[in-house]
Amino acid sequence: MGDLSLAELQTLLRDGSFALQTGTLLSRISTQFADVARSLHVLYAHHPYQIAPDFADFHVEVRQPRNIRRWFRRQAEFLIDGDPPFEPLPRNQAPAFLEWGLNWSIAASCHQWFTIHAASLERNGFVVILPAPPGSGKSTLCTALALRGWRLLSDELTLINPQSMTASALARPINLKNASIDLIREFEPASVWGPETYDTAKGRVTHLRPPIDSVERMLETAQPRWIVFPRYSPGSDPLLTPRAKAQTFIHFAENAFNYSTLGETGFDVVGSLVDQCDCYDFTYSRLDDALEVFDWISSGAAP
Amino acid sequence: MIEAGRFLVKQWLDGSAIFDRQLGDTHALDPAASAVFLALEKGAGERSALIATLSPFYPEATQQDLASRLDDLLEQLTTLGLVTADTN
């Protein structure tokens, strides 16, 4: 999108002809909102795009809802194929709403992949998967790794091809919230950010532009090699411990978006993933320590 | 008894995951329950053989303890629908 001015992007978004490529997916996006256009222009500056393609995986829109409420409180709604899967959100959350809506669209419909709620990054041809509940420091750690030499595949949705057992990339912006935003701003002052949104259900949120190398290589798949469950614990020294495989299996089965949908295939994919990956729990409090541990993991030296 | 071909099993040192092809359910079993399930799947029907399967997991247990644990495990496996009583 580097060749596209903000004004040109706004025009394309207004007439619904803009289509953004993230990984192998093409999303046709429509909006009248200037702040959504600005956010896309900043966050996806390195991504390829198409104008009025014959086919797109998703047709989405962020707009003002057509209900009576719009007259006394401004709102935004997200639509896919003309239908709103969610209730509207306050108008100032529109840029983030588009990101969350795109996440949902992929998780709800891309069953060509086994899709797990987890971050994934690649180094030297191998992928580390970071599954974790909210508040575990997953996105913060994922961001630090992506800013220090690991290739970002995704911060929210890990996509596994059931046939090849490889992970595919989306290379979309990283969603950070609350104290993590300030931590990463300090960690990498040159990082580029979308607009901050306050008072969301998650608190203060924003998105970080993915590193250009991750975007340029977003069509490269890679083999999962490690599964690491991070846990941020203030004041703790870094601690990496092997994790039970059966326990890891159950976590994946419970936290995948389409485990039940894929049935036997889902069982086979999780079983193969757990077989082919070393599984760890990782407690940390300082990003520099964590980076050192992940360097160690990727060097093949971890137990 | 266990219906042939109904279940898929992934086994690790710390337990196993069982997929029920008929119902689409997934179950996690600890190593002892997993060993009993696999023994039944291979056709072990004798109570003494199942107790022998359990004994490595409880080295301090008496035969009576093992028999009691086996009953508990069989009840759990039956409740999960992994095992049905042999009525023959």
Side-chain angles (χ1 to χ4, degrees), chain A residues 209-279:
Chain A
R209 183 159 83 191
I212 187 167
D213 176 65
S214 299
V215 177
E216 287 176 346
R217 297 175 57 201
M218 68 184 180
L219 297 179
E220 290 179 29
T221 60
Q223 201 78 32
R225 177 73 182 79
W226 308 279
I227 299 169
V228 181
F229 288 74
R231 189 171 68 87
Y232 174 76
S233 176
S236 68
D237 289 327
L239 180 64
L240 185 74
T241 50
R243 180 186 172 92
K245 295 240 174 185
Q247 191 187 355
T248 303
F249 182 103
I250 294 304
H251 179 95
F252 270 36
E254 288 175 346
N255 288 276
F257 290 101
N258 54 357
Y259 177 81
S260 297
T261 305
L262 294 180
E264 198 171 316
T265 300
F267 180 85
D268 288 338
V269 170
V270 180
S272 300
L273 257 188
V274 171
D275 275 341
Q276 79 184 42
C277 292
D278 297 330
C279 304

Side-chain angles (χ1 to χ4, degrees), chain A:
Chain A
M1 274 170 55
D3 62 331
L4 206 58
S5 72
L6 176 58
E8 288 168 328
L9 175 62
Q10 278 177 318
T11 302
L12 294 173
L13 288 166
R14 274 196 213 105
D15 69 24
S17 58
F18 177 77
L20 175 70
Q21 186 179 345
T22 54
T24 58
L25 298 174
L26 198 59
S27 302
R28 198 155 168 169
I29 301 170
S30 168
T31 189
Q32 304 290 318
F33 292 157
D35 55 344
V36 173
R38 279 196 299 274
S39 174
L40 285 167
H41 198 251
V42 169
L43 294 174
Y44 292 93
H46 305 309
H47 283 72
Y49 69 95
Q50 294 182 36
I51 299 172
D54 291 336
F55 171 82
D57 296 275
F58 304 113
H59 293 76
V60 302
E61 182 178 6
V62 180
R63 70 176 191 192
Q64 183 174 275
R66 288 162 190 168
N67 57 23
I68 189 134
R69 194 176 172 88
R70 72 180 188 270
W71 298 110
F72 55 90
R73 188 178 173 193
R74 296 175 71 214
Q75 290 185 314
E77 69 177 351
F78 172 87
L79 297 97
I80 177 166
D81 295 332
D83 291 321
F86 313 108
E87 292 296 314
L89 291 177
R91 171 64 186 83
N92 68 330
Q93 297 183 26
F97 203 5
L98 174 62
E99 292 300 320
W100 298 332
L102 286 172
N103 283 346
W104 181 87
S105 303
I106 296 166
S109 58
C110 289
H111 302 312
Q112 68 269 43
W113 292 299
F114 177 77
T115 308
I116 312 158
H117 183 208
S120 46
L121 304 108
E122 176 266 348
R123 194 174 208 182
N124 302 328
F126 293 111
V127 172
V128 62
I129 298 174
L130 305 175
S136 61
K138 165 186 66 91
S139 289
T140 313
L141 179 58
C142 168
T143 308
L145 291 167
L147 292 169
R148 292 292 184 270
W150 288 73
R151 177 167 69 96
L152 174 72
L153 303 189
S154 174
D155 81 316
E156 287 284 349
L157 304 171
T158 291
L159 309 175
I160 305 294
N161 181 317
Q163 282 76 44
S164 63
M165 289 304 298
T166 54
S168 293
L170 290 168
R172 290 186 40 221
I174 302 174
N175 188 184
L176 289 161
K177 54 185 181 294
N178 302 317
S180 295
I181 300 169
D182 307 314
L183 189 66
I184 295 297
R185 280 190 196 281
E186 195 178 323
F187 179 78
E188 182 53 75
S191 52
V192 180
W193 301 78
E196 281 193 18
T197 310
Y198 299 86
D199 301 325
T200 75
K202 302 174 179 181
R204 178 170 61 111
V205 302
T206 186
H207 287 79
L208 177 85
R209 183 159 83 191
I212 187 167
D213 176 65
S214 299
V215 177
E216 287 176 346
R217 297 175 57 201
M218 68 184 180
L219 297 179
E220 290 179 29
T221 60
Q223 201 78 32
R225 177 73 182 79
W226 308 279
I227 299 169
V228 181
F229 288 74
R231 189 171 68 87
Y232 174 76
S233 176
S236 68
D237 289 327
L239 180 64
L240 185 74
T241 50
R243 180 186 172 92
K245 295 240 174 185
Q247 191 187 355
T248 303
F249 182 103
I250 294 304
H251 179 95
F252 270 36
E254 288 175 346
N255 288 276
F257 290 101
N258 54 357
Y259 177 81
S260 297
T261 305
L262 294 180
E264 198 171 316
T265 300
F267 180 85
D268 288 338
V269 170
V270 180
S272 300
L273 257 188
V274 171
D275 275 341
Q276 79 184 42
C277 292
D278 297 330
C279 304
Y280 300 102
D281 285 308
F282 177 54
T283 304
Y284 76 103
S285 63
R286 293 174 295 275
L287 287 177
D288 287 339
D289 289 343
L291 291 169
E292 206 171 310
V293 170
F294 275 73
D295 282 348
W296 187 58
I297 290 174
S298 70
S299 72

